[in-house]
Amino acid sequence: MPPAFGDDRPVASPRSATTADGILRWLRATQPEAVTHAEKNPKGTILAPPTTRAEAVERALGMLQKPGRPYERYAPGPLIGKGGMGRVFAAEERLLGREVALKALNARFGGTHAIKKLLQEAWVTGSLEHPGVVPIHDVVLGADGRPAIVMKRIQGAPGGKLLHDREARFKHLGEEVDALDWNLGVLLQVCQAVRYAHDRGIVHRDLKPDNVMVGRYGEVHVVDWGLAVALEDDGTGRFPLASDAVAMAGTPCYMAPEMLGGEESRIGKATDVYLLGALLHEIVLGQAPHAGDGILAMVTSIMQPERPLPDDLPEEVRQLLSKALAFAPEQRFEDGGAFRRALEELLRHQGSRRLAERAAVRAATLAARTAAPDVDSGEVQELWSEAAFGYRAALEAWPGNAEARAGLRDAADVVARFELGRDDPAAALRVLASIDEPPDARVREAEDALAASEARRDDLERLGRDHDPRIGIRARAGVSALIVGIWTLVPLQLYLSGATGTFGRMRTGAAVLLATLAGASLLAGPVLSSTFFNRAFVQALAGVVTVQLLLALAAESLGLDPTQAQVVMLGLYASATAVGSATFDRRLTLAAVGYALAFVAGALWPAEVYLWITLGNATLLVTLLVANGALERRRPRRKRPPPPGDP
């Protein structure tokens, strides 16, 4: 809350006024020249009366009048600047041949008051050895007998000229720069100089764009320390004290409330913090905080308990300005260093926001392309990488950037949906796992899709294994060689012995084959029962032999001739191997042809039926051996470990 000022009648103390109008009446009564100055030039500095002790001034003037400090060592040049009391000339230091600047009093300011002010500025500025403060080289007596300050000449332009003028910045710097970034960078350097002064116990009291000099190469100097005051008395009497600063002083359109003056001084580090906030206000909003028409409007603005700020101002900027421009000094940042840290944090956040904004452009392109029918996975991955990189860079600069975190999450969700649409849930989960706090619903969807995909893959693997003829090939080769070998050797022996066919031999042969097949299947059971292909193989052999047995029984029951029944059996074998060629292996076509020829031969020469059976079975045996050999060559070989000592 603003201090209580009483009624609005003209009084001797500002504590007795409650409105800006009352304060203004008090100022007109006590400081008419200051009010007149403020009305004419609201951006001009209102000077405060000097508080330096008289003995300190007399001692300084005595030192200046001693021999050995002649003004003639400096060759004055043209006027390069002027202020309320002083003028600044370019000059040359004759001994060293270097350019310097001479600050001397205007001709109309010749009294002790003006001399005190000039010496105060020299003492304060000379006590601040910092890159952001113009170095004081010397103080000499001018030709008119008054002191002049010799300082480093700054080749630069005032910040007030460069703040809003794009062309002036370009002409001064020789390059195009982002106005906001550049101005904030200048303000950071101003904060460093102010922080140093605060650490030395000095308050500037007149921070404004025109009191900031910017060099061509980016160097920044805070100038015009004529209103500066010391927070503590060093005992020399040279420095004006903040406790004595009870009169209105400073630049009206930037003033902190306590700079209007009062019975007791409230000037402190927080006063400069307010002025730094006023500089930020002008950088961000384009005008000083108290840019009203007329002195009454400015005083009214200065005395507002809360600084009005535009609704569309970013919240973080609003909070920083509100704290820096708080009415009560104790509610502001502690000093220039604290304000600088807050501003640096704001700039880091601003940089993070810009990175996130650029990433958002890539993310928008990503979302659009994933919806397009002609997009490929490579393009999506490239866009995702670019967007994710930008968002992660933004979060690295500022982990609290909620927009960047949400943008990264949304972009990952877009890519996950795309990968799920391509039936690649593993890729979707990899993308989701690469971010913090991925969307739970999408993760569950991808996990369910992956589980279903793995189940389908397992089913396909089982199906492929069930139908893989390479599994159990040796067991099948052994069983088939045994069965077909017996099948071939027995009719050959009968043919060579001249035996004739009987139904008993047919039944016995079928029974022996079934028993042999059963025994071999038991010995190789785990292998021959492990896949559908092996089970079908065993069932096919058993089926053929069983049909042979049933055919023999049916033929005997019908009273057919055994030889004729065996010829019919060759037709059965031809049909069975033909079916096997179509379902198991095309190489069985050779056996089918062999049996078909044996069947025809048997029909023509039935007396030689055992020969035809032998030849047909031999063709089957050769076919099975060739087929199993080919499968054996195609079977993957297990890698053996290298012998000890091999690399």
Side-chain angles (χ1 to χ4, degrees):
M1 295 295 292
F5 282 98
D7 60 33
D8 295 339
R9 294 172 297 173
V11 289
S13 169
R15 296 286 177 183
S16 58
T18 57
T19 65
D21 186 63
I23 295 170
L24 184 56
R25 285 187 228 184
W26 171 78
L27 289 172
R28 288 187 190 280
T30 58
Q31 301 177 64
E33 292 183 359
V35 174
T36 301
H37 183 283
E39 289 176 333
K40 291 181 177 180
N41 185 9
K43 289 195 173 184
T45 301
I46 299 173
L47 299 176
T51 58
T52 301
R53 297 174 193 169
E55 59 269 23
V57 176
E58 292 173 0
R59 186 168 57 249
L61 291 174
M63 294 174 62
L64 291 174
Q65 291 167 353
K66 288 182 179 180
R69 304 185 67 84
Y71 179 76
E72 289 76 12
R73 283 171 36 191
Y74 301 96
L79 179 69
I80 57 176
K82 57 184 179 179
M85 290 178 56
R87 295 180 297 169
V88 180
F89 296 89
E92 179 186 0
E93 187 176 0
R94 290 189 173 100
L95 180 62
L96 298 177
R98 65 173 174 177
E99 289 185 340
V100 295
L102 280 172
K103 185 170 185 179
L105 292 169
N106 285 331
R108 59 192 180 91
F109 293 99
T112 305
H113 177 99
I115 292 174
K116 282 185 177 182
K117 291 295 295 180
L118 189 71
L119 290 175
Q120 280 181 5
E121 180 177 355
W123 285 324
V124 170
T125 309
S127 71
L128 301 175
E129 295 287 340
H130 186 271
V133 180
V134 180
I136 301 296
H137 295 324
D138 202 354
V139 178
V140 297
L141 283 180
D144 57 1
R146 296 182 301 172
I149 303 174
V150 183
M151 63 185 73
K152 176 182 177 180
R153 182 175 178 185
I154 304 299
Q155 300 288 346
K161 180 180 179 182
L162 304 176
L163 181 60
H164 303 299
D165 193 332
R166 175 176 171 270
E167 291 185 5
R169 281 194 303 273
F170 181 81
K171 183 177 180 180
H172 179 68
L173 302 172
E175 61 181 349
E176 192 71 48
V177 294
D178 180 84
L180 179 61
D181 286 349
W182 185 82
N183 283 314
L184 290 175
V186 170
L187 179 57
L188 277 175
Q189 294 189 65
V190 171
C191 290
Q192 279 290 63
V194 173
R195 173 192 175 193
Y196 173 79
H198 286 179
D199 288 347
R200 302 278 294 181
I202 301 296
V203 176
H204 188 283
R205 271 209 304 173
D206 198 22
L207 299 171
K208 59 182 178 180
D210 285 342
N211 282 345
V212 177
M213 292 293 292
V214 182
R216 185 176 297 276
Y217 302 103
E219 61 273 28
V220 175
H221 294 88
V222 178
V223 300
D224 202 348
W225 294 78
L227 282 186
V229 292
L231 297 175
E232 295 182 6
D233 189 350
D234 68 347
T236 65
R238 295 176 302 168
F239 298 153
L241 299 178
S243 58
D244 295 332
V246 294
M248 179 172 68
T251 303
C253 60
Y254 299 99
M255 274 186 180
E258 63 270 21
M259 295 173 70
L260 290 172
E263 291 177 329
E264 296 179 359
S265 174
R266 302 185 70 196
I267 300 297
K269 297 176 182 179
T271 303
D272 277 352
V273 169
Y274 191 100
L275 298 175
L276 291 172
L279 287 172
L280 178 61
H281 186 285
E282 185 160 1
I283 289 172
V284 173
L285 299 176
Q287 63 179 15
H290 314 307
D293 296 330
I295 185 64
L296 178 60
M298 280 188 286
V299 172
T300 301
S301 176
I302 292 169
M303 296 305 296
Q304 283 182 316
E306 294 185 8
R307 171 62 33 209
L309 297 170
D311 294 337
D312 59 350
L313 198 64
E315 183 58 29
E316 197 171 8
V317 179
R318 175 188 297 277
Q319 291 178 2
L320 195 155
L321 280 174
S322 295
K323 185 169 183 178
L325 298 175
F327 185 91
E330 60 272 14
Q331 293 177 351
R332 303 172 200 156
F333 294 100
E334 180 182 359
D335 55 20
F339 178 85
R340 185 183 192 277
R341 289 191 293 273
L343 182 58
E344 284 178 329
E345 187 76 4
L346 173 67
L347 292 179
R348 280 196 296 272
H349 296 178
Q350 180 69 12
S352 174
R353 288 191 183 95
R354 289 184 178 178
L355 289 171
E357 287 170 2
R358 287 196 286 269
V361 174
R362 305 308 294 162
T365 305
L366 170 66
R369 291 301 296 149
T370 54
D374 60 338
V375 70
D376 59 42
S377 179
E379 181 183 359
V380 170
Q381 288 304 319
E382 182 177 356
L383 289 169
W384 157 244
S385 297
E386 292 173 355
F389 179 83
Y391 282 129
R392 288 186 177 118
L395 288 170
E396 185 175 353
W398 177 27
N401 190 334
E403 290 81 4
R405 194 171 301 280
L408 179 61
R409 191 171 184 265
D410 292 344
D413 190 52
V414 167
V415 179
R417 287 202 312 269
F418 172 79
E419 296 295 355
L420 288 172
R422 294 176 60 246
D423 197 21
D424 192 350
L429 283 173
R430 283 195 298 272
V431 170
L432 294 171
S434 69
I435 66 171
D436 297 330
E437 300 179 0
D440 293 337
R442 194 69 62 205
V443 171
R444 287 194 298 271
E445 181 183 357
E447 288 174 344
D448 292 345
L450 181 61
S453 175
E454 290 176 344
R456 290 195 301 271
R457 186 178 66 247
D458 291 344
D459 289 343
L460 289 174
E461 288 178 354
R462 283 194 297 271
L463 184 61
R465 187 176 183 279
D466 257 357
H467 290 79
D468 188 352
R470 295 171 297 179
I471 299 174
I473 181 175
R474 292 178 180 174
R476 287 200 316 274
V479 171
S480 59
L482 178 63
I483 299 300
V484 180
I486 295 173
W487 217 345
T488 302
L489 292 175
V490 170
L492 177 61
Q493 189 272 331
L494 292 173
Y495 170 72
L496 293 176
S497 65
T500 58
T502 65
F503 286 116
R505 286 195 181 96
M506 293 174 63
R507 290 193 300 271
T508 301
V512 169
L513 288 176
L514 283 174
T516 303
L517 178 60
S521 298
L522 286 174
L523 291 175
V527 176
L528 292 180
S529 62
S530 62
T531 68
F532 172 82
F533 189 91
N534 289 333
R535 292 192 296 271
F537 167 78
V538 173
Q539 292 167 4
L541 282 179
V544 171
V545 176
T546 302
V547 169
Q548 177 181 336
L549 177 61
L550 294 176
L551 182 60
L553 294 173
E556 184 180 11
S557 175
L558 293 173
L560 299 178
D561 180 71
T563 300
Q564 293 174 338
Q566 287 176 323
V567 172
V568 172
M569 196 76 66
L570 288 171
L572 169 66
Y573 296 158
S575 300
T577 51
V579 172
S581 172
T583 56
F584 288 105
D585 194 324
R586 291 189 177 279
R587 282 176 286 244
L588 288 175
T589 302
L590 177 62
V593 172
Y595 277 124
L597 292 175
F599 172 71
V600 172
L604 295 175
W605 299 286
E608 310 296 332
V609 68
Y610 282 124
L611 175 61
W612 313 133
I613 292 174
T614 299
L615 293 175
N617 289 346
T619 304
L620 176 61
L621 180 60
V622 170
T623 300
L624 290 176
L625 291 175
V626 170
N628 288 332
L631 288 174
E632 179 69 22
R633 287 192 296 274
R634 285 168 49 198
R635 191 170 63 154
R637 302 291 182 182
R638 292 183 180 177
K639 292 184 179 180
R640 295 182 179 180
D646 283 3

